[in-house]
Amino acid sequence: DLITRYQSISLDLPNFDYIAHIENYWRKIKLRMPHFYKRHIARWKKFRDQLKMYEMQYHTRCLTHHDLRGDNIIETAQGLVLLDWEYAGWGFGGIDSLAVQSHRAKQCGNNSIEKSIAWWCNTLWEVIQSPSLVPTLTRGNYTDRNNTHWKNAN
């Protein structure tokens, strides 16, 4: 499949910094929505500590798109093509597989670290893009722009 093919490519890339990526979202949220920030930052800090431990223990990384969704995939005469590689890096490949699985199943969320990473990235991105989602997110789940239902994984 397409994910397996690109994840088998060997490139000299730095490791994707999940913590820095998510904390960049938090900086934006703190400025725009301080109440949301104050309400949820402690949960992030608790998960951040778990993520640090996971990153120290987890050594298998591969080329990971990190934004695999329907509008970043086009079908051409030569086959499927992935667009928008701005978040790509040497990361946890399961995140891309989760994106495809969650889109198919319309549901994502349990206590696995990679699902939690995906939950934090998608949730905070959605908060920044659509502040009207904040009341829904504080209840722990929402439906994103791809009509994928996310349950709070933390």
Side-chain angles (χ1 to χ4, degrees), residues 22-44:
I22 294 170
E23 288 191 341
N24 181 50
Y25 287 159
W26 276 117
R27 281 189 290 280
K28 292 175 183 177
I29 289 169
K30 184 177 184 181
L31 292 172
R32 297 178 191 170
M33 292 165 271
H35 295 297
F36 182 88
Y37 177 88
K38 288 176 187 174
R39 184 171 183 174
H40 296 285
I41 193 65
R43 283 182 44 225
W44 159 247

Short mmCIF file of all heavy atoms in Angstrom, two decimals, residues 22-44:
data_model
loop_
_atom_site.label_atom_id
_atom_site.label_comp_id
_atom_site.label_asym_id
_atom_site.label_seq_id
_atom_site.Cartn_x
_atom_site.Cartn_y
_atom_site.Cartn_z
N ILE A 22 3.53 20.37 19.08
CA ILE A 22 2.32 20.58 19.86
C ILE A 22 2.44 21.83 20.72
O ILE A 22 1.48 22.60 20.87
CB ILE A 22 2.00 19.32 20.70
CG1 ILE A 22 1.64 18.16 19.76
CG2 ILE A 22 0.86 19.60 21.68
CD1 ILE A 22 1.54 16.80 20.42
N GLU A 23 3.62 22.09 21.27
CA GLU A 23 3.78 23.29 22.09
C GLU A 23 3.69 24.57 21.26
O GLU A 23 3.28 25.61 21.77
CB GLU A 23 5.06 23.22 22.91
CG GLU A 23 4.89 22.19 24.02
CD GLU A 23 5.97 22.18 25.06
OE1 GLU A 23 7.08 22.72 24.81
OE2 GLU A 23 5.70 21.62 26.14
N ASN A 24 4.01 24.50 19.98
CA ASN A 24 3.77 25.64 19.10
C ASN A 24 2.27 25.94 19.02
O ASN A 24 1.86 27.10 19.04
CB ASN A 24 4.35 25.36 17.71
CG ASN A 24 4.16 26.53 16.78
OD1 ASN A 24 4.47 27.66 17.11
ND2 ASN A 24 3.61 26.25 15.61
N TYR A 25 1.46 24.91 18.92
CA TYR A 25 0.01 25.11 18.95
C TYR A 25 -0.42 25.75 20.28
O TYR A 25 -1.25 26.66 20.30
CB TYR A 25 -0.73 23.79 18.76
CG TYR A 25 -0.70 23.22 17.37
CD1 TYR A 25 -0.95 21.87 17.16
CD2 TYR A 25 -0.45 24.00 16.25
CE1 TYR A 25 -0.94 21.31 15.89
CE2 TYR A 25 -0.44 23.46 14.97
CZ TYR A 25 -0.69 22.10 14.81
OH TYR A 25 -0.69 21.56 13.55
N TRP A 26 0.14 25.26 21.38
CA TRP A 26 -0.23 25.82 22.69
C TRP A 26 0.12 27.29 22.80
O TRP A 26 -0.63 28.07 23.40
CB TRP A 26 0.44 25.03 23.82
CG TRP A 26 -0.31 23.81 24.21
CD1 TRP A 26 0.11 22.51 24.10
CD2 TRP A 26 -1.63 23.74 24.77
NE1 TRP A 26 -0.87 21.66 24.54
CE2 TRP A 26 -1.95 22.39 24.97
CE3 TRP A 26 -2.58 24.70 25.10
CZ2 TRP A 26 -3.16 21.97 25.50
CZ3 TRP A 26 -3.79 24.28 25.64
CH2 TRP A 26 -4.07 22.92 25.83
N ARG A 27 1.25 27.73 22.23
CA ARG A 27 1.61 29.16 22.27
C ARG A 27 0.54 29.99 21.57
O ARG A 27 0.15 31.06 22.05
CB ARG A 27 2.98 29.38 21.64
CG ARG A 27 4.14 29.02 22.55
CD ARG A 27 5.48 29.45 21.98
NE ARG A 27 5.89 28.68 20.82
CZ ARG A 27 6.43 27.47 20.87
NH1 ARG A 27 6.63 26.88 22.03
NH2 ARG A 27 6.77 26.84 19.76
N LYS A 28 0.07 29.51 20.44
CA LYS A 28 -0.98 30.23 19.71
C LYS A 28 -2.28 30.26 20.51
O LYS A 28 -2.96 31.29 20.58
CB LYS A 28 -1.21 29.58 18.35
CG LYS A 28 -0.04 29.74 17.42
CD LYS A 28 -0.26 28.99 16.11
CE LYS A 28 0.98 29.11 15.23
NZ LYS A 28 0.85 28.35 13.99
N ILE A 29 -2.62 29.14 21.11
CA ILE A 29 -3.85 29.06 21.89
C ILE A 29 -3.78 29.96 23.11
O ILE A 29 -4.76 30.64 23.46
CB ILE A 29 -4.15 27.60 22.27
CG1 ILE A 29 -4.57 26.82 21.03
CG2 ILE A 29 -5.20 27.51 23.38
CD1 ILE A 29 -4.62 25.32 21.21
N LYS A 30 -2.63 30.01 23.76
CA LYS A 30 -2.48 30.85 24.96
C LYS A 30 -2.77 32.31 24.63
O LYS A 30 -3.40 33.03 25.41
CB LYS A 30 -1.08 30.69 25.53
CG LYS A 30 -0.86 31.44 26.82
CD LYS A 30 0.53 31.18 27.37
CE LYS A 30 0.72 31.86 28.71
NZ LYS A 30 2.07 31.63 29.24
N LEU A 31 -2.33 32.76 23.47
CA LEU A 31 -2.55 34.15 23.06
C LEU A 31 -4.00 34.41 22.67
O LEU A 31 -4.56 35.46 22.98
CB LEU A 31 -1.64 34.51 21.88
CG LEU A 31 -0.15 34.58 22.18
CD1 LEU A 31 0.64 34.76 20.89
CD2 LEU A 31 0.13 35.73 23.14
N ARG A 32 -4.60 33.45 21.97
CA ARG A 32 -5.95 33.67 21.42
C ARG A 32 -7.08 33.25 22.36
O ARG A 32 -8.16 33.82 22.29
CB ARG A 32 -6.10 32.90 20.11
CG ARG A 32 -5.18 33.36 19.04
CD ARG A 32 -5.36 32.53 17.79
NE ARG A 32 -4.30 32.78 16.83
CZ ARG A 32 -4.10 32.07 15.76
NH1 ARG A 32 -4.90 31.05 15.47
NH2 ARG A 32 -3.12 32.34 14.94
N MET A 33 -6.83 32.21 23.16
CA MET A 33 -7.89 31.65 24.00
C MET A 33 -7.33 31.29 25.38
O MET A 33 -7.19 30.11 25.71
CB MET A 33 -8.48 30.41 23.33
CG MET A 33 -9.25 30.74 22.08
SD MET A 33 -9.56 29.26 21.10
CE MET A 33 -8.09 29.24 20.09
N PRO A 34 -6.98 32.29 26.18
CA PRO A 34 -6.34 32.01 27.47
C PRO A 34 -7.17 31.12 28.40
O PRO A 34 -6.61 30.34 29.17
CB PRO A 34 -6.08 33.38 28.07
CG PRO A 34 -6.91 34.34 27.28
CD PRO A 34 -7.16 33.72 25.95
N HIS A 35 -8.50 31.21 28.33
CA HIS A 35 -9.34 30.36 29.19
C HIS A 35 -9.19 28.89 28.83
O HIS A 35 -9.09 28.03 29.70
CB HIS A 35 -10.81 30.79 29.14
CG HIS A 35 -11.03 32.17 29.69
ND1 HIS A 35 -10.77 32.48 31.00
CD2 HIS A 35 -11.46 33.31 29.11
CE1 HIS A 35 -11.04 33.75 31.22
NE2 HIS A 35 -11.47 34.29 30.07
N PHE A 36 -9.19 28.59 27.55
CA PHE A 36 -8.99 27.21 27.10
C PHE A 36 -7.60 26.74 27.52
O PHE A 36 -7.44 25.63 28.01
CB PHE A 36 -9.14 27.12 25.58
CG PHE A 36 -9.00 25.72 25.04
CD1 PHE A 36 -10.09 24.88 24.96
CD2 PHE A 36 -7.76 25.24 24.62
CE1 PHE A 36 -9.97 23.58 24.48
CE2 PHE A 36 -7.62 23.95 24.14
CZ PHE A 36 -8.73 23.12 24.07
N TYR A 37 -6.62 27.59 27.33
CA TYR A 37 -5.24 27.26 27.72
C TYR A 37 -5.16 26.89 29.20
O TYR A 37 -4.65 25.83 29.55
CB TYR A 37 -4.32 28.44 27.41
CG TYR A 37 -2.89 28.23 27.84
CD1 TYR A 37 -1.98 27.61 26.99
CD2 TYR A 37 -2.45 28.64 29.09
CE1 TYR A 37 -0.68 27.40 27.37
CE2 TYR A 37 -1.14 28.44 29.48
CZ TYR A 37 -0.26 27.82 28.62
OH TYR A 37 1.04 27.61 29.03
N LYS A 38 -5.68 27.74 30.04
CA LYS A 38 -5.62 27.50 31.50
C LYS A 38 -6.35 26.22 31.88
O LYS A 38 -5.92 25.51 32.78
CB LYS A 38 -6.21 28.69 32.26
CG LYS A 38 -5.34 29.91 32.22
CD LYS A 38 -6.02 31.08 32.91
CE LYS A 38 -5.21 32.35 32.72
NZ LYS A 38 -5.92 33.52 33.24
N ARG A 39 -7.43 25.95 31.20
CA ARG A 39 -8.24 24.77 31.54
C ARG A 39 -7.57 23.45 31.15
O ARG A 39 -7.76 22.43 31.81
CB ARG A 39 -9.60 24.88 30.87
CG ARG A 39 -10.53 23.77 31.26
CD ARG A 39 -11.91 24.02 30.76
NE ARG A 39 -12.78 22.96 31.22
CZ ARG A 39 -14.06 22.94 31.06
NH1 ARG A 39 -14.66 23.96 30.49
NH2 ARG A 39 -14.78 21.93 31.47
N HIS A 40 -6.76 23.46 30.07
CA HIS A 40 -6.26 22.19 29.53
C HIS A 40 -4.74 22.01 29.55
O HIS A 40 -4.27 20.91 29.28
CB HIS A 40 -6.76 22.03 28.08
CG HIS A 40 -8.24 21.93 28.01
ND1 HIS A 40 -8.93 20.79 28.36
CD2 HIS A 40 -9.17 22.84 27.65
CE1 HIS A 40 -10.22 21.00 28.21
NE2 HIS A 40 -10.40 22.23 27.78
N ILE A 41 -3.99 23.03 29.89
CA ILE A 41 -2.53 22.92 29.80
C ILE A 41 -1.97 21.87 30.76
O ILE A 41 -1.00 21.18 30.43
CB ILE A 41 -1.84 24.30 29.99
CG1 ILE A 41 -0.36 24.22 29.59
CG2 ILE A 41 -2.01 24.81 31.41
CD1 ILE A 41 -0.11 23.94 28.15
N ALA A 42 -2.57 21.70 31.91
CA ALA A 42 -2.08 20.69 32.87
C ALA A 42 -2.19 19.28 32.28
O ALA A 42 -1.29 18.45 32.48
CB ALA A 42 -2.83 20.78 34.19
N ARG A 43 -3.28 19.01 31.56
CA ARG A 43 -3.42 17.70 30.91
C ARG A 43 -2.33 17.49 29.88
O ARG A 43 -1.77 16.40 29.75
CB ARG A 43 -4.79 17.58 30.23
CG ARG A 43 -5.90 17.30 31.22
CD ARG A 43 -7.26 17.13 30.58
NE ARG A 43 -7.24 16.30 29.41
CZ ARG A 43 -7.88 16.61 28.28
NH1 ARG A 43 -8.59 17.71 28.19
NH2 ARG A 43 -7.85 15.81 27.26
N TRP A 44 -2.04 18.55 29.10
CA TRP A 44 -0.97 18.44 28.12
C TRP A 44 0.37 18.16 28.80
O TRP A 44 1.12 17.30 28.38
CB TRP A 44 -0.87 19.69 27.25
CG TRP A 44 0.49 19.80 26.61
CD1 TRP A 44 1.43 20.74 26.85
CD2 TRP A 44 1.08 18.89 25.67
NE1 TRP A 44 2.57 20.50 26.12
CE2 TRP A 44 2.38 19.35 25.38
CE3 TRP A 44 0.65 17.72 25.04
CZ2 TRP A 44 3.24 18.71 24.50
CZ3 TRP A 44 1.51 17.06 24.17
CH2 TRP A 44 2.78 17.56 23.90
#
